[in-house]
């Protein structure tokens, strides 16, 4: 008996899988999400560059479906993917022409460098969330249903805190056109000139944007998943249930967070500069101007959330089944 327990250790995690298996599941989900969502952002950036070419030194936001990245234009590079020649009449036309003229691989332009940041951030985020949720459910007792809310917020704080310095260094290296051999010099220069805190520049605004969304997302996702399972009289969620729950939760969470932030800005707590900017937007474009960019963000975030969470849950289910079969075989 002792020999079997040593040869076939049983995962101690309450979800039936080990933290390492959770990391593998989130990693595979991150890669698949990037493969599906990146083409949408590549086309968006190409359309933006066509309308208003990016000058040297200007930054643009690139999203691989997992996180936003600040990319610095380097017009000295004639092969820069974001400024390749071409005239597009819309999103579908851009897809067709890019594939026809530049090959299907061009739809994933700029993806490898951003995955260096996105995959570790996603692995940390999802693994921490599951571990925190399991621990909080035990400690919160009668309030266990609110565990996803707190776990989602804490997990996002942790991942942002770890990744922020790395993302800032990556952006500095890109803007200075430094090689990875010069990485230590870039870090020493930033610390020497601006102090250690400079490595976390932008940490606060990022938390204000991501933490409320993360808390709302996980709370809505767990609620939606449980409701759909109950409605369909099943104990374990199917791929379709996790996909739908992820998409709906992502969309609802964006709307909820945007509304809350708008209410905060309009309150007396908002700074005079923020209020003046918002007043100008409303005066020029009406109230709808405050929500410009909401629909494109939903179109991008909803499928990204759906793909990521459904792949992650599928991976966890695979490992859980593997562990159960291993345990049964060790007992026979």
């Amino acid at each position: 008996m002792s020999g079997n327990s040593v040869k076939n250790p049983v995962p101690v995690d309450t979800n039936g899988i080990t933290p390492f298996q959770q990391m593998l599941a989130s990693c595979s989900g991150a890669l698949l999400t990037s493969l599906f969502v990146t083409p949408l952002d590549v086309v968006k950036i190409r359309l933006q560059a066509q309308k208003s070419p990016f000058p040297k030194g200007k930054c643009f936001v690139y999203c691989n479906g997992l996180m936003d990245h600040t990319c610095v234009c380097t017009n000295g590079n004639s092969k820069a993917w974001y400024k390749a020649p071409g005239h597009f009449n819309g999103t579908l036309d851009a897809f067709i022409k890019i594939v026809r003229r530049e090959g299907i691989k061009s739809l994933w332009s700029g993806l490898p460098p951003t995955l260096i940041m996105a995959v570790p951030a996603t692995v940390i985020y999802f693994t921490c969330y599951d571990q925190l949720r399991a621990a909080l459910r035990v400690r919160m007792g009668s309030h266990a249903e609110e565990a996803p809310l707190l776990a989602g917020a804490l997990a996002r704080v942790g991942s942002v805190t770890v990744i922020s310095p790395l993302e800032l260094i990556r952006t500095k290296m890109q803007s200075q056109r430094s090689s990875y051999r010069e990485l230590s010099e870039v870090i020493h220069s930033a610390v020497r000139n601006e102090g250690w805190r400079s490595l976390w520049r932008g940490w606060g605004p990022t938390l204000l944007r991501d933490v409320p969304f993360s808390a709302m997302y996980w709370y809505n996702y767990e609620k939606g998943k449980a409701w759909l399972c109950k409605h369909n009289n099943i104990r374990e969620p199917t791929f379709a249930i996790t996909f739908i729950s992820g998409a709906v939760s992502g969309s609802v969470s964006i709307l909820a967070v945007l509304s809350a932030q708008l209410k905060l800005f309009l309150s007396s707590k908002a700074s005079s500069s923020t209020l003046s900017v918002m007043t100008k937007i409303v005066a020029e474009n009406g109230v709808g101007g405050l929500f410009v960019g909401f629909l494109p963000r939903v179109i991008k975030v909803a499928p990204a959330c759906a793909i990521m969470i459904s792949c992650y849950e599928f991976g966890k289910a695979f490992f859980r089944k593997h562990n159960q079969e291993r345990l049964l075989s060790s007992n026979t």
Side-chain angles (χ1 to χ4, degrees):
M1 226 175 142
S2 61
N4 282 340
S5 62
V6 173
K7 186 178 179 180
N8 299 291
V10 179
V12 297
D13 189 85
T14 54
N15 291 315
I17 61 175
T18 64
F20 180 69
Q21 289 172 332
Q22 289 175 335
M23 294 171 69
L24 289 178
S26 59
C27 184
S28 61
L31 293 174
L32 288 171
T33 301
S34 299
L35 289 176
F36 277 103
V37 179
T38 294
L40 297 174
D41 221 51
V42 168
V43 169
K44 182 204 73 174
I45 291 169
R46 290 289 295 276
L47 288 170
Q48 289 176 344
Q50 172 185 274
K51 185 177 180 181
S52 179
F54 299 138
K56 184 178 180 180
K58 182 178 180 180
C59 298
F60 63 90
V61 176
Y62 176 99
C63 180
N64 53 28
L66 302 170
M67 60 187 293
D68 293 335
H69 299 271
T70 302
C71 296
V72 182
C73 297
T74 52
N75 276 4
N77 182 4
S78 60
K79 296 181 180 179
W81 62 269
Y82 51 83
K83 65 167 190 168
H87 179 73
F88 312 118
N89 296 316
T91 302
L92 182 59
D93 184 58
F95 267 110
I96 295 172
K97 288 181 178 177
I98 290 173
V99 172
R100 186 180 297 167
R101 297 173 183 174
E102 305 168 35
I104 195 167
K105 288 183 179 180
S106 60
L107 292 176
W108 287 272
S109 300
L111 177 60
T114 64
L115 284 182
I116 295 174
M117 297 295 146
V119 171
T122 304
V123 169
I124 293 170
Y125 176 44
F126 277 77
T127 305
C128 285
Y129 167 75
D130 263 342
Q131 293 295 313
L132 286 168
R133 185 192 60 171
L136 289 171
R137 277 182 169 172
V138 174
R139 293 173 179 265
M140 293 177 70
S142 59
H143 299 285
E145 288 190 357
E146 280 70 49
L149 196 71
L150 184 56
L154 292 174
R156 179 56 77 181
V157 170
S159 64
V160 169
T161 302
V162 172
I163 296 299
S164 283
L166 302 179
E167 177 69 5
L168 183 66
I169 291 168
R170 187 191 71 85
T171 305
K172 279 182 175 290
M173 290 179 67
Q174 187 184 30
S175 63
Q176 298 170 10
R177 306 190 73 174
S178 305
S179 66
Y180 282 100
R181 292 180 180 179
E182 302 170 290
L183 176 62
S184 60
E185 177 56 33
V186 171
I187 297 173
H188 289 153
S189 176
V191 173
R192 183 172 58 250
N193 296 331
E194 305 172 64
W196 281 102
R197 290 186 179 181
S198 65
L199 297 178
W200 280 270
R201 182 176 296 156
W203 179 78
T206 303
L207 289 185
L208 288 175
R209 181 193 66 185
D210 291 354
V211 171
F213 172 82
S214 179
M216 289 292 296
Y217 171 77
W218 284 110
Y219 181 78
N220 291 329
Y221 169 73
E222 298 290 356
K223 285 286 187 180
K225 182 177 69 172
W227 184 86
L228 287 173
C229 285
K230 184 178 180 180
H231 181 74
N232 291 278
N233 295 316
I234 56 175
R235 292 186 61 185
E236 295 295 328
T238 61
F239 185 88
I241 286 177
T242 57
F243 190 93
I244 293 171
S245 300
V248 173
S249 178
S251 302
V252 170
S253 299
I254 290 177
L255 181 59
V257 171
L258 181 62
S259 300
Q261 290 176 343
L262 181 61
K263 185 177 180 181
L264 176 63
F265 288 151
L266 293 176
S267 70
S268 57
K269 294 180 181 179
S271 66
S272 58
S273 59
T274 303
L275 282 174
S276 63
V277 170
M278 296 186 69
T279 302
K280 185 177 180 181
I281 292 174
V282 173
E284 294 179 356
N285 305 297
V287 177
L290 297 174
F291 296 89
V292 169
F294 170 70
L295 184 59
R297 186 163 179 79
V298 171
I299 292 173
K300 184 168 61 178
V301 169
C305 288
I307 295 168
M308 179 64 217
I309 195 64
S310 54
C311 291
Y312 179 58
E313 294 281 18
F314 180 83
K316 290 198 299 180
F318 170 81
F319 285 120
R320 190 177 296 114
K321 183 179 179 181
H322 170 75
N323 292 338
Q324 290 173 348
E325 290 176 350
R326 188 178 178 183
L327 180 61
L328 289 173
S329 64
S330 68
N331 292 331
T332 55

